[in-house]
Amino acid sequence: MRAATLHGQTARHLSFAFWLCALFVCPVALADQNAVISVYHHVSASTPPSTSLSPEAFRAHLSFLAENNFTVLPLTQILTTLNDGDDLPDRTVAITFDDGYESIYSTAFPLLREFGFPFTVFVSTGPIDRQQTGYMTWEQLSTLHRAAVVIGNHGTEHRSLLELSDSEARVDILAAQARITEELGPQPRLFAYPYGEFNDASKRLLADLGYAGFAQNSGAVGPTTEQTALPRFPLAGLYSGLEGATLKYSTLAFDVQTLEPLSPQTQLTAPSARVRFEEGDYSQARVACFDDGDPMAIAWEVDLSEDNVATLSTNAKQRGRRWNYVCTAPHTGSGRYFWFSQPWFDESKPQ
Ligand SMILES: [Zn+2]
């Protein structure tokens, strides 16, 4: 009954907004507080295919963004805008790179400059300090920095936070940031989890240190997205094709909260998740979730005060170290999709 009343109020509010829109100025649409963050690694045809895309494929992604009214903004500007509750241009995107590979400097940077797109590079400082083959040098990173590229933190030695104690993780993050600051001056506090892996303790640590945390599971970002588990779409390997990139760069953020479990770290082969999907420009009946491509069972709770909470369940199957449940729903009135994923990490499995 309570939910029905709330729905009634929302309907009256929308109707009022409609007439206000017809008479004066249109109210803000949900898509104005939405962004998509992509993550790339190598832009090269001669590096490991699973983390690479060719220069031609990368150019195709950038051309798509340029030709379809996307606005590519610095990551920090997107986070600040969303946190302030302000609007972003429709189809806002941020481009990021992890690890600090040489092809970012030699191949991706000239292309991004040609298109005038800002970007962020998350570096692991150890390989750069050792001048390890295949990585950028500090001089190259300094050139990027002078071109307004933000250099974020990806740990010193790319160790998963699931394998470090709280104090080890804290020391590692601060040591990497100190090296970045020594070489380039102060940078915004942005941390990309190595391998995209995190748990509840990692999120609390980043919040305590004042960092935004970036994962590698798919999904769009909105004002209610957890700041220490921001999803990014990986667009390499199998996902480097233009069709997939087009779909993902166009996605919208569900206003969603995973109620259970709190941590994505698990050794279960079929963990269930309890997720609250707030109302949006989509039909609850069209929310669909997938476990590695297989449709999942979605049980919506019948208690009217919680009728937007769903339990997602699946069947046990062979799991690697990382996998995701993906939920989508078509946006009412456009070909775009709301997109959310729940990542899972089993640290007992090999990297
Ligand atoms: Zn990495």
Side-chain angles (χ1 to χ4, degrees):
M1 201 53 211
R2 201 177 117 218
T5 309
L6 282 176
H7 290 163
Q9 281 171 354
T10 307
R12 278 194 296 278
H13 175 76
L14 287 176
S15 156
F16 175 72
F18 174 81
W19 286 110
L20 193 72
C21 176
L23 291 171
F24 302 106
V25 181
C26 284
V28 171
L30 192 69
D32 292 335
Q33 295 194 335
N34 190 84
V36 168
I37 308 170
S38 58
V39 51
Y40 297 94
H41 289 79
H42 303 273
V43 178
S44 167
S46 57
T47 44
S50 66
T51 51
S52 303
L53 81 173
S54 67
E56 294 73 27
F58 187 58
R59 176 185 276 283
H61 289 194
L62 302 185
S63 297
F64 165 74
L65 296 175
E67 290 162 9
N68 290 278
N69 299 319
F70 284 81
T71 303
V72 183
L73 293 179
L75 193 50
T76 43
Q77 186 179 338
I78 290 174
L79 295 185
T80 307
T81 306
L82 289 175
N83 286 336
D84 289 349
D86 293 333
D87 295 339
L88 290 165
D90 187 24
R91 297 176 191 268
T92 288
V93 159
I95 296 170
T96 73
F97 294 86
D98 276 8
D99 301 344
Y101 294 121
E102 198 276 333
S103 66
I104 299 168
Y105 183 80
S106 61
T107 309
F109 179 40
L111 282 169
L112 286 155
R113 205 160 35 177
E114 180 187 325
F115 283 86
F117 290 162
F119 61 104
T120 298
V121 180
F122 290 94
V123 297
S124 290
T125 55
I128 293 164
D129 280 337
R130 289 192 297 278
Q131 302 196 339
Q132 200 166 310
T133 309
Y135 285 82
M136 281 186 274
T137 63
W138 284 116
E139 289 71 28
Q140 289 169 331
L141 284 163
S142 176
T143 304
L144 293 186
H145 175 50
R146 286 197 303 275
V149 175
V150 169
I151 309 300
N153 186 331
H154 199 36
T156 59
E157 296 296 342
H158 206 273
R159 289 182 64 191
S160 168
L161 294 200
L162 303 187
E163 289 165 3
L164 299 177
S165 71
D166 252 25
S167 57
E168 286 170 334
R170 181 183 292 263
V171 166
D172 189 75
I173 292 167
L174 295 178
Q177 196 72 25
R179 282 298 296 130
I180 293 168
T181 306
E182 265 169 27
E183 295 288 343
L184 308 172
Q187 295 293 296
R189 290 183 189 181
L190 308 173
F191 183 77
Y193 294 108
Y195 307 100
E197 294 180 352
F198 61 93
N199 59 16
D200 197 38
S202 333
K203 290 192 287 184
R204 278 189 271 112
L205 174 61
L206 287 204
D208 187 39
L209 294 173
Y211 281 76
F214 297 86
Q216 286 189 38
N217 57 292
S218 59
V221 173
T224 59
T225 309
E226 219 175 352
Q227 291 296 291
T228 51
L230 293 152
R232 295 182 295 169
F233 280 101
L235 294 176
L238 287 175
Y239 309 115
S240 61
L242 185 57
E243 202 180 327
T246 302
L247 171 74
K248 289 165 182 174
Y249 271 129
S250 305
T251 54
L252 301 164
F254 277 116
D255 181 358
V256 69
Q257 187 187 0
T258 301
L259 304 173
E260 292 164 30
L262 279 178
S263 177
Q265 190 173 8
T266 187
Q267 291 186 3
L268 301 174
T269 54
S272 63
R274 205 166 152 259
V275 180
R276 172 180 286 131
F277 294 86
E278 299 293 356
E279 276 183 69
D281 294 334
Y282 64 91
S283 155
Q284 189 184 85
R286 299 196 66 187
V287 174
C289 300
F290 304 89
D291 169 8
D292 197 17
D294 296 329
M296 298 181 72
I298 306 177
W300 295 98
E301 294 187 10
V302 291
D303 175 356
L304 282 179
S305 64
E306 291 281 17
D307 67 355
N308 56 355
V309 173
T311 298
L312 317 179
S313 51
T314 187
N315 300 315
K317 59 169 85 172
Q318 195 74 33
R319 302 291 185 183
R321 185 173 165 110
R322 294 182 284 277
W323 77 96
N324 300 309
Y325 298 158
V326 172
C327 297
T328 65
H331 174 255
T332 311
S334 82
R336 299 167 73 181
Y337 278 85
F338 288 90
W339 191 300
F340 157 78
S341 73
Q342 167 67 45
W344 301 102
F345 309 111
D346 180 352
E347 85 291 353
S348 69
K349 301 273 174 63
Q351 279 292 355

